[in-house]
Amino acid sequence: MKPHTKTFSLRTVEWKNNAVVMIDQTKLPNKLVFVKYTDYKDVANAIKTLVIRGAPAIGVSGAFGLALAALQSKARTKEKLVGDLEKARKTLFETRPTAVNLAWGLDKIMKVANEINDVSEIKKSIIQTAKRMAEEDIETNMKMGKHGSALFSNNDTIMTHCNAGALATVGYGTALGVIRAAKENGKKIKVIATETRPVMQGSRLTAFELKHDGIDVSLIPDTAVGYAMSKGLVNKVIVGADRILRTGHVYNKIGTYQVAMMAKQHKIPFYVAAPLSTFDLKSDPKDVIIEQRKSTEVTQIGDRKTAPDDITVINPAFDMTPPELISGIITEAGIAKQPFEESIKKLFKSRL
Ligand code: MRU
């Protein structure tokens, strides 16, 4: 597939000369720095420390991590190689617990390893599969964009939360991919991005990539969501997702639930855009682990302390938005509508 030229031209993560190269997102928007890894443990650390983040991006990074582990392995037998890969899989899997794409990416690579017998063939095939997953991520996002852009009209102002853009995927984005597609279809679109405390993915990443692409974007503090909606500044909302259950329960960046509640109050359609790899058809809400992050994300802004010493902090990275607040879930296979359980089942069936 040809790289997209009209929109965000940077690749968030890619495989280059037997190494994984990614944008260090902790440095954005001040510096555009690329990091290169040849050890899967460094990839695991990059996922943990948010050098790379966003559900689809960490899914592909997990796969690339396993490709590095395959190259690092000195195993001469299939059994030994699969053992080395299992160890790496565990390390990569344990980095972040909520986004289901990570397990999806790791499982896909382990399946390839288990299906082939020859050690060097396994290694070759793992690298090829991981590279293909990266290409497919962009294709999937563009399909999602095609389906989703029909939901948006000329002169819409769309609110988004966190970063579900090119930077959260290999390229193009999920929620921001839909916005890009609407714009490419000739619609005049404005975006309102929430800053997304505490890690600021909205101000650091969404504002950065939309400005980079010349898309009209205004930044608001998270606390101004109600203001913006009550003043009629927003027509629609679109966000990404880290995990979607068969019932349509959506797990996404902390604060998404508040935005959805507020949208309901103001009768503003609230859409979610996510690939089928973000769906977890087996779990119930009680099974989903919400990642809790370190307290300094809340008690400091950069190096500056903004809370008293020893304060107790609750810092969940994600929350759950119930299906009744969601107008539609945009996927590469089409748009799921209420009642979600039936509609999601149909989308998966259409892929068989
Ligand atoms: O903690 P993060 O930055 O990995 O959280 C990311 C999000 O919540 C995104 O909205 C989600 O992964 C969708 S990305 C296409």
Side-chain angles (χ1 to χ4, degrees), residues 53-56 96 162-164 168-169 174 201 240-242 252-253 318:
R53 31 66 51 198
R96 299 196 74 189
C162 191
N163 173 264
T169 60
T174 57
Q201 289 94 332
D242 290 83
N252 191 49
K253 179 54 53 194
F318 302 99

Side-chain angles (χ1 to χ4, degrees), residues 25 47 50 52-58 96 99 101 141 161-169 173-176 196 199 201 204-205 239-243 251-254 256 273-275 278 291 293 317-318:
Q25 300 192 30
I47 296 173
L50 308 186
I52 185 117
R53 31 66 51 198
I58 64 176
R96 299 196 74 189
N101 306 62
N141 293 337
H161 185 62
C162 191
N163 173 264
L167 287 164
T169 60
T174 57
L176 298 192
T196 318
V199 186
Q201 289 94 332
R204 290 189 307 103
L205 308 175
V239 297
D242 290 83
R243 192 187 290 229
Y251 293 80
N252 191 49
K253 179 54 53 194
I254 192 71
T256 303
T278 299
E291 177 184 0
R293 295 191 58 87
F318 302 99

Side-chain angles (χ1 to χ4, degrees), residues 50-173:
L50 308 186
V51 167
I52 185 117
R53 31 66 51 198
I58 64 176
V60 171
S61 300
F64 281 152
L66 280 183
L68 288 181
L71 286 182
Q72 286 173 266
S73 171
K74 304 232 171 347
R76 285 162 183 244
T77 62
K78 174 181 174 167
E79 288 63 36
K80 178 78 180 67
L81 176 58
V82 170
D84 288 347
L85 289 171
E86 277 299 349
K87 199 172 135 216
R89 192 202 108 87
K90 189 168 178 290
T91 305
L92 289 157
F93 178 73
E94 283 170 353
T95 53
R96 299 196 74 189
T98 308
V100 81
N101 306 62
L102 182 56
W104 168 85
L106 296 170
D107 289 349
K108 244 184 145 157
I109 297 294
M110 290 310 296
K111 191 165 178 273
V112 169
N114 282 305
E115 275 168 357
I116 302 169
N117 286 324
D118 180 73
V119 167
S120 67
E121 279 305 312
I122 295 178
K123 292 188 181 189
K124 234 192 266 163
S125 202
I126 285 180
I127 294 170
Q128 267 167 10
T129 306
K131 282 168 78 176
R132 200 167 51 242
M133 283 164 76
E135 293 308 316
E136 282 172 2
D137 174 80
I138 301 179
E139 288 165 29
T140 299
N141 293 337
M142 288 186 151
K143 278 188 200 152
M144 230 182 285
K146 242 185 213 159
H147 292 302
S149 69
L151 298 170
F152 296 89
S153 312
N154 200 27
N155 294 320
D156 267 353
T157 300
I158 307 170
M159 181 178 281
T160 191
H161 185 62
C162 191
N163 173 264
L167 287 164
T169 60
V170 177
Y172 204 68

